[in-house]
Amino acid sequence: MKFSLCVLVAVVAVSSTNAFTARTSSSRGMISTKLHSTTETEANPMARSKSKQPVFDEVCETTGVTLTRFMNEVAMLNPELRELTTLFGAIDTACKAMTNVVKRSQLPSSETLGYQGAVNIQGEDQKKLDVITNDILKRALRFTGRLGVDLIGTANSDNQEIVIEEGEKYVAVFDPLDGSSNVDAGIPTGTIIGIYEHSDNCEIDPECIGDECTELEAQCLANTLQPGTNLVAAAYCLYSSSTFMAITLGNGVYMFCLDETIGEFVLSHANVKVPADCNIYSMNEANFDKWDAPLKNVVKGWREGTGKSGERFTSRYIGSMVGDVHRTLLYGGVFGYPGDTKNVNGKLRLLYEGAPMSFIMEQAGGISSTGKERVMEITPEYVHQRIPVVMGSKNAVQEILDAYAAE
């Protein structure tokens, strides 16, 4: 299928050795399907096991392709993803709003200065900016009317409210402002978002009362605790010298940059692939002595140039997950927030930090692991569960995995 618009064409890949246009059915209805000469697995070894995943093929010059235009083209050939277009429209608007809030946060007239005067559920001080960005994103997504469970696991507040919307199909989890403690110093911050399918088993009787409702809500919350392999889409927004948005719908990573002169996110990097080899690592080396022996040995080898690559690595650590992962995607490297003797399970939250960012990293051809197991395959036991994470360039991360396996 050809388009008059010069844009990235979205198609659905299915196993076939032919090349023709067909119609096929799924639980979501009829889907326009373009069959390729290669299977989905051959085209993308990181593709999920689910069938009929959207694939994006670069067919022409991409200058001037906005996020809105991109998502409209995706929906045109993948009707079952049309509702995601609405969600990403809300994410687009929210990230623009949060860009302005972050930029103005240090002005004397800003209402975002200072602490909120409360401690969140994880024992962390809340800044007003945490609360404001949380509300911006929550409202933007809720008003789309596309969320079955709205919204759980926000990082910087105690909010775990359950709002059930009858007949809707998605669940959104997010960290509204990752690295917010760095805002005062002008260090990059970001927003992390994961979108899952809503379980049909999660239904609230509008006439229920008291403890009965509470129990049903708890069941719905449990239904949202899904492994990263169930993610439908993931995205992050980076607020730095420019505002970037990276997204994946399951086959590849596409990066957009906000052009403030026209107020639109414009495609800047199509089908991002993290280099397989690297000489950069991003970890808090102040905790080096507290790390597991396998990780210490590998990092020591990187420092001295005695690792598998034989190259001497450079340390580049921002202290903001979105910023460090963004650089890793573009330049290659390893980002890690490992466990240590003080924080055995690390500090990153699985549901709304580890899993969505791992989805993005894997779709760019990288690896994400705790050191012992794939992050995407871990099912959260509770909303704020923490895990150790190492992710990035395939060969360097594999060196860490091999060290743990040989322990």
Side-chain angles (χ1 to χ4, degrees), residues 159-268:
N159 176 26
Q160 293 184 36
E161 70 175 303
I162 308 298
V163 179
I164 309 302
E165 305 291 347
E166 184 177 355
E168 302 306 341
K169 62 185 297 183
Y170 293 115
V171 176
V173 295
F174 59 81
D175 182 347
L177 196 62
D178 172 71
S180 60
S181 60
N182 293 325
V183 168
D184 293 349
I187 294 173
T189 56
T191 299
I192 303 171
I193 303 163
I195 299 173
Y196 295 87
E197 286 190 343
H198 170 49
S199 171
D200 293 334
N201 296 326
C202 177
E203 297 181 0
I204 294 292
D205 183 349
E207 298 182 0
C208 69
I209 57 174
D211 293 341
E212 181 184 359
C213 281
T214 302
E215 182 178 349
L216 290 172
E217 289 175 353
Q219 292 173 2
C220 286
L221 180 58
N223 284 333
T224 66
L225 299 179
Q226 304 179 49
T229 50
N230 288 356
L231 279 164
V232 175
Y236 69 74
C237 288
L238 172 67
Y239 314 115
S240 184
S241 57
S242 297
T243 299
F244 294 92
M245 183 189 296
I247 70 171
T248 182
L249 304 180
N251 277 78
V253 175
Y254 292 80
M255 199 173 288
F256 299 79
C257 182
L258 180 60
D259 184 343
E260 295 188 356
T261 60
I262 61 173
E264 293 283 355
F265 279 100
V266 178
L267 186 65
S268 58

Side-chain angles (χ1 to χ4, degrees), residues 268-289:
S268 58
H269 298 80
N271 199 21
V272 176
K273 295 297 179 185
V274 59
D277 295 297
C278 66
N279 60 359
I280 300 172
Y281 66 94
S282 308
M283 302 182 195
N284 185 355
E285 292 188 90
N287 296 324
F288 180 87
D289 292 337

Side-chain angles (χ1 to χ4, degrees), residues 21-197:
T21 301
R23 296 282 286 183
T24 184
S25 62
S26 76
S27 59
R28 300 173 185 167
M30 299 300 292
I31 304 174
S32 294
T33 306
K34 186 172 181 179
L35 305 184
H36 280 249
S37 59
T38 59
T39 66
E40 180 182 14
T41 303
E42 290 169 343
N44 184 352
M46 301 306 298
R48 291 176 293 171
S49 59
K50 292 182 179 180
S51 62
K52 308 180 185 69
Q53 298 305 314
V55 177
F56 309 100
D57 297 328
E58 188 172 0
V59 296
C60 57
E61 175 61 46
T62 58
T63 302
V65 176
T66 65
L67 176 62
T68 301
R69 184 179 179 185
F70 180 90
M71 290 303 300
N72 284 340
E73 293 294 332
V74 169
M76 185 183 299
L77 280 178
N78 301 272
E80 80 281 11
L81 299 182
R82 190 170 301 280
E83 293 184 9
L84 274 182
T85 301
T86 304
L87 284 179
F88 273 96
I91 293 170
D92 175 301
T93 301
C95 287
K96 291 172 186 174
M98 289 186 286
T99 294
N100 292 328
V101 170
V102 171
K103 280 184 176 181
R104 291 181 49 82
S105 66
Q106 298 307 301
L107 293 175
S109 60
S110 173
E111 296 181 355
T112 64
L113 283 173
Y115 287 97
Q116 184 69 11
V119 176
N120 69 10
I121 196 171
Q122 298 150 88
E124 301 164 340
D125 288 320
Q126 285 184 282
K127 292 199 172 190
K128 290 183 179 179
L129 198 57
D130 293 324
V131 178
I132 291 171
T133 53
N134 180 72
D135 288 344
I136 289 173
L137 187 54
K138 182 171 65 176
R139 290 174 182 175
L141 288 169
R142 175 176 293 172
F143 292 154
T144 64
R146 297 296 186 268
L147 297 178
V149 178
D150 178 355
L151 299 155
I152 71 155
T154 53
N156 294 308
S157 75
D158 295 327
N159 176 26
Q160 293 184 36
E161 70 175 303
I162 308 298
V163 179
I164 309 302
E165 305 291 347
E166 184 177 355
E168 302 306 341
K169 62 185 297 183
Y170 293 115
V171 176
V173 295
F174 59 81
D175 182 347
L177 196 62
D178 172 71
S180 60
S181 60
N182 293 325
V183 168
D184 293 349
I187 294 173
T189 56
T191 299
I192 303 171
I193 303 163
I195 299 173
Y196 295 87
E197 286 190 343

Side-chain angles (χ1 to χ4, degrees), residues 288 290-297 339-341 370 372 404 407:
F288 180 87
K290 301 175 184 178
W291 293 344
D292 296 338
L295 181 61
K296 285 197 290 187
N297 291 336
D340 54 44
T341 55
T370 65
K372 299 179 180 179
Y404 274 100
E407 186 182 20

